[in-house]
């Protein structure tokens, strides 16, 4: 796989704007590991090799367990390996990412609101939108995953 183009060089102001949103999410009250799990789960849904590689490496570096990473895609079947806020965030991320299929139904919203304050839910949704944008850029322009580049 070879990169089609470098959108960071071609549209530096656009890349800077996305980085600003990333900075906003980082300063939110959301736990960083929760956000990183959501980034990885959304990247799994979108099959973004570049982001899968990057977020897996980030989570491992931050001390996330291999067991939780291995079961993230099947988190609903992982018992109490993921806590209630993580499960709610992952469910919300799936519903919002698959908006064309789900329409983000009221029951999904209510489930998320039962564990997240309004500000947290808005910030989480911004994070989900951001990673979906990054996934689309990386897939469309064939960003090379570090695992491939290192070979």
């Amino acid at each position: 796989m070879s990169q089609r183009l470098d959108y960071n060089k071609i549209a530096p102001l656009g890349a800077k704007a996305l980085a600003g949103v990333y900075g906003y999410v980082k300063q939110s009250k959301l736990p960083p590991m929760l956000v990183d799990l959501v980034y990885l789960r959304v990247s799994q849904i979108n099959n973004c090799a570049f982001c899968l590689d990057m977020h897996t490496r980030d989570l491992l570096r931050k001390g996330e367990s291999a067991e939780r990473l291995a079961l993230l895609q099947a988190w609903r079947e992982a018992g109490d390996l993921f806590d209630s806020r993580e499960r709610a965030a992952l469910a919300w991320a799936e519903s919002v990412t698959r908006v064309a299929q789900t329409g983000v139904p009221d029951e999904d919203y209510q489930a998320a609101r039962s564990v997240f304050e309004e500000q947290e839910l808005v910030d989480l949704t911004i994070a989900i939108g951001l990673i979906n944008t990054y996934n689309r850029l990386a897939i469309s322009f064939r960003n090379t995953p570090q695992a491939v580049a290192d070979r």
Side-chain angles (χ1 to χ4, degrees):
M1 173 173 74
S2 61
Q3 188 174 30
R4 291 176 171 166
L5 57 82
D6 185 345
Y7 56 83
N8 290 301
K9 287 183 181 174
I10 294 168
L13 293 178
K16 184 176 179 180
L18 288 174
V21 176
Y22 179 78
Y24 172 81
V25 171
K26 278 190 73 108
Q27 65 79 44
S28 76
K29 292 185 347 183
L30 295 168
M33 292 289 273
L34 176 92
V35 173
D36 286 340
L37 283 172
V38 165
Y39 286 164
L40 182 58
R41 180 65 192 117
V42 170
S43 298
Q44 288 174 335
I45 293 166
N46 291 325
N47 294 316
C48 180
F50 178 82
C51 295
L52 286 167
D53 182 68
M54 180 177 62
H55 295 298
T56 299
R57 289 171 189 272
D58 287 348
L59 282 159
L60 288 169
R61 199 171 25 255
K62 292 176 181 178
E64 185 58 81
S65 73
E67 292 80 12
R68 282 172 38 102
L69 293 178
L71 292 176
L72 181 61
Q73 189 167 338
W75 63 269
R76 282 183 168 85
E77 300 171 33
D80 62 358
L81 197 59
F82 297 95
D83 68 30
S84 62
R85 282 175 57 90
E86 290 168 334
R87 289 192 305 270
L90 294 168
W92 184 248
E94 290 178 1
S95 187
V96 170
T97 296
R98 295 178 172 134
V99 65
Q101 292 85 30
T102 70
V104 190
D106 290 341
E107 54 269 18
D108 291 358
Y109 170 76
Q110 293 302 330
R113 275 293 286 132
S114 72
V115 296
F116 290 107
E117 298 171 8
E118 288 179 347
Q119 181 72 49
E120 291 176 315
L121 188 56
V122 170
D123 291 346
L124 179 60
T125 307
I126 289 169
I128 294 163
L130 176 66
I131 192 59
N132 271 289
T133 298
Y134 276 131
N135 287 170
R136 281 150 180 76
L137 286 165
I139 293 166
S140 297
F141 300 120
R142 302 293 192 259
N143 284 12
T144 305
Q146 183 179 337
V148 175
D150 289 349
R151 294 185 145 253

